[in-house]
PDB file of all heavy atoms in Angstrom:
ATOM      1  N   GLU A  42     141.113-153.501  77.662  1.00 93.00           N
ATOM      2  CA  GLU A  42     140.073-152.800  78.429  1.00 93.00           C
ATOM      3  C   GLU A  42     139.356-151.846  77.518  1.00 93.00           C
ATOM      4  O   GLU A  42     139.829-151.491  76.458  1.00 93.00           O
ATOM      5  CB  GLU A  42     140.702-152.092  79.620  1.00 93.00           C
ATOM      6  CG  GLU A  42     141.786-151.155  79.252  1.00 93.00           C
ATOM      7  CD  GLU A  42     142.581-150.671  80.471  1.00 93.00           C
ATOM      8  OE1 GLU A  42     142.946-151.535  81.331  1.00 93.00           O
ATOM      9  OE2 GLU A  42     142.828-149.468  80.543  1.00 93.00           O
ATOM     10  N   PRO A  43     138.168-151.354  77.968  1.00 94.00           N
ATOM     11  CA  PRO A  43     137.440-150.393  77.127  1.00 94.00           C
ATOM     12  C   PRO A  43     138.244-149.154  76.786  1.00 94.00           C
ATOM     13  O   PRO A  43     139.031-148.682  77.616  1.00 94.00           O
ATOM     14  CB  PRO A  43     136.226-150.036  77.997  1.00 94.00           C
ATOM     15  CG  PRO A  43     136.101-151.116  79.015  1.00 94.00           C
ATOM     16  CD  PRO A  43     137.492-151.631  79.225  1.00 94.00           C
ATOM     17  N   VAL A  44     138.047-148.650  75.562  1.00 95.00           N
ATOM     18  CA  VAL A  44     138.729-147.426  75.149  1.00 95.00           C
ATOM     19  C   VAL A  44     137.815-146.214  75.299  1.00 95.00           C
ATOM     20  O   VAL A  44     138.287-145.085  75.341  1.00 95.00           O
ATOM     21  CB  VAL A  44     139.320-147.477  73.733  1.00 95.00           C
ATOM     22  CG1 VAL A  44     140.396-148.541  73.665  1.00 95.00           C
ATOM     23  CG2 VAL A  44     138.260-147.731  72.706  1.00 95.00           C
ATOM     24  N   VAL A  45     136.473-146.454  75.333  1.00 95.00           N
ATOM     25  CA  VAL A  45     135.515-145.380  75.582  1.00 95.00           C
ATOM     26  C   VAL A  45     134.562-145.835  76.656  1.00 95.00           C
ATOM     27  O   VAL A  45     134.369-147.034  76.871  1.00 95.00           O
ATOM     28  CB  VAL A  45     134.722-144.987  74.291  1.00 95.00           C
ATOM     29  CG1 VAL A  45     135.642-144.412  73.238  1.00 95.00           C
ATOM     30  CG2 VAL A  45     133.889-146.117  73.764  1.00 95.00           C
ATOM     31  N   GLU A  46     133.959-144.845  77.332  1.00 94.00           N
ATOM     32  CA  GLU A  46     132.982-145.205  78.391  1.00 94.00           C
ATOM     33  C   GLU A  46     131.674-145.605  77.719  1.00 94.00           C
ATOM     34  O   GLU A  46     131.393-145.215  76.581  1.00 94.00           O
ATOM     35  CB  GLU A  46     132.801-144.015  79.308  1.00 94.00           C
ATOM     36  CG  GLU A  46     132.244-142.778  78.634  1.00 94.00           C
ATOM     37  CD  GLU A  46     132.154-141.576  79.531  1.00 94.00           C
ATOM     38  OE1 GLU A  46     133.079-141.350  80.339  1.00 94.00           O
ATOM     39  OE2 GLU A  46     131.099-140.898  79.456  1.00 94.00           O
ATOM     40  N   ALA A  47     130.877-146.341  78.437  1.00 94.00           N
ATOM     41  CA  ALA A  47     129.548-146.768  77.946  1.00 94.00           C
ATOM     42  C   ALA A  47     128.563-145.640  78.180  1.00 94.00           C
ATOM     43  O   ALA A  47     127.819-145.651  79.170  1.00 94.00           O
ATOM     44  CB  ALA A  47     129.096-148.056  78.649  1.00 94.00           C
ATOM     45  N   SER A  48     128.574-144.671  77.293  1.00 96.00           N
ATOM     46  CA  SER A  48     127.718-143.467  77.420  1.00 96.00           C
ATOM     47  C   SER A  48     127.513-142.881  76.035  1.00 96.00           C
ATOM     48  O   SER A  48     128.150-143.284  75.067  1.00 96.00           O
ATOM     49  CB  SER A  48     128.390-142.446  78.324  1.00 96.00           C
ATOM     50  OG  SER A  48     129.554-141.937  77.695  1.00 96.00           O
ATOM     51  N   GLU A  49     126.654-141.875  75.967  1.00 96.00           N
ATOM     52  CA  GLU A  49     126.488-141.151  74.687  1.00 96.00           C
ATOM     53  C   GLU A  49     127.815-140.506  74.251  1.00 96.00           C
ATOM     54  O   GLU A  49     128.175-140.555  73.085  1.00 96.00           O
ATOM     55  CB  GLU A  49     125.424-140.069  74.835  1.00 96.00           C
ATOM     56  CG  GLU A  49     125.158-139.313  73.561  1.00 96.00           C
ATOM     57  CD  GLU A  49     124.037-138.303  73.697  1.00 96.00           C
ATOM     58  OE1 GLU A  49     123.144-138.476  74.524  1.00 96.00           O
ATOM     59  OE2 GLU A  49     124.082-137.301  72.932  1.00 96.00           O
ATOM     60  N   ALA A  50     128.563-139.968  75.220  1.00 95.00           N
ATOM     61  CA  ALA A  50     129.843-139.358  74.902  1.00 95.00           C
ATOM     62  C   ALA A  50     130.819-140.399  74.345  1.00 95.00           C
ATOM     63  O   ALA A  50     131.563-140.144  73.378  1.00 95.00           O
ATOM     64  CB  ALA A  50     130.436-138.676  76.120  1.00 95.00           C
ATOM     65  N   GLY A  51     130.821-141.612  74.904  1.00 96.00           N
ATOM     66  CA  GLY A  51     131.675-142.671  74.423  1.00 96.00           C
ATOM     67  C   GLY A  51     131.306-143.066  73.009  1.00 96.00           C
ATOM     68  O   GLY A  51     132.190-143.268  72.148  1.00 96.00           O
ATOM     69  N   ALA A  52     130.011-143.220  72.747  1.00 97.00           N
ATOM     70  CA  ALA A  52     129.553-143.563  71.381  1.00 97.00           C
ATOM     71  C   ALA A  52     129.932-142.479  70.387  1.00 97.00           C
ATOM     72  O   ALA A  52     130.399-142.764  69.294  1.00 97.00           O
ATOM     73  CB  ALA A  52     128.044-143.805  71.381  1.00 97.00           C
ATOM     74  N   ARG A  53     129.759-141.227  70.783  1.00 95.00           N
ATOM     75  CA  ARG A  53     130.126-140.108  69.912  1.00 95.00           C
ATOM     76  C   ARG A  53     131.636-140.113  69.621  1.00 95.00           C
ATOM     77  O   ARG A  53     132.074-139.859  68.517  1.00 95.00           O
ATOM     78  CB  ARG A  53     129.680-138.795  70.532  1.00 95.00           C
ATOM     79  CG  ARG A  53     129.786-137.610  69.548  1.00 95.00           C
ATOM     80  CD  ARG A  53     129.127-136.368  70.089  1.00 95.00           C
ATOM     81  NE  ARG A  53     127.770-136.526  70.542  1.00 95.00           N
ATOM     82  CZ  ARG A  53     126.699-136.607  69.702  1.00 95.00           C
ATOM     83  NH1 ARG A  53     126.847-136.557  68.434  1.00 95.00           N
ATOM     84  NH2 ARG A  53     125.468-136.717  70.197  1.00 95.00           N
ATOM     85  N   THR A  54     132.433-140.430  70.638  1.00 95.00           N
ATOM     86  CA  THR A  54     133.896-140.486  70.481  1.00 95.00           C
ATOM     87  C   THR A  54     134.257-141.554  69.420  1.00 95.00           C
ATOM     88  O   THR A  54     135.176-141.316  68.625  1.00 95.00           O
ATOM     89  CB  THR A  54     134.575-140.798  71.814  1.00 95.00           C
ATOM     90  OG1 THR A  54     134.316-139.705  72.709  1.00 95.00           O
ATOM     91  CG2 THR A  54     136.080-140.986  71.656  1.00 95.00           C
TER      92      THR A  54
END
Side-chain angles (χ1 to χ4, degrees):
E42 56 192 45
V44 295
V45 297
E46 63 184 42
S48 67
E49 181 176 333
R53 191 170 307 283
T54 296

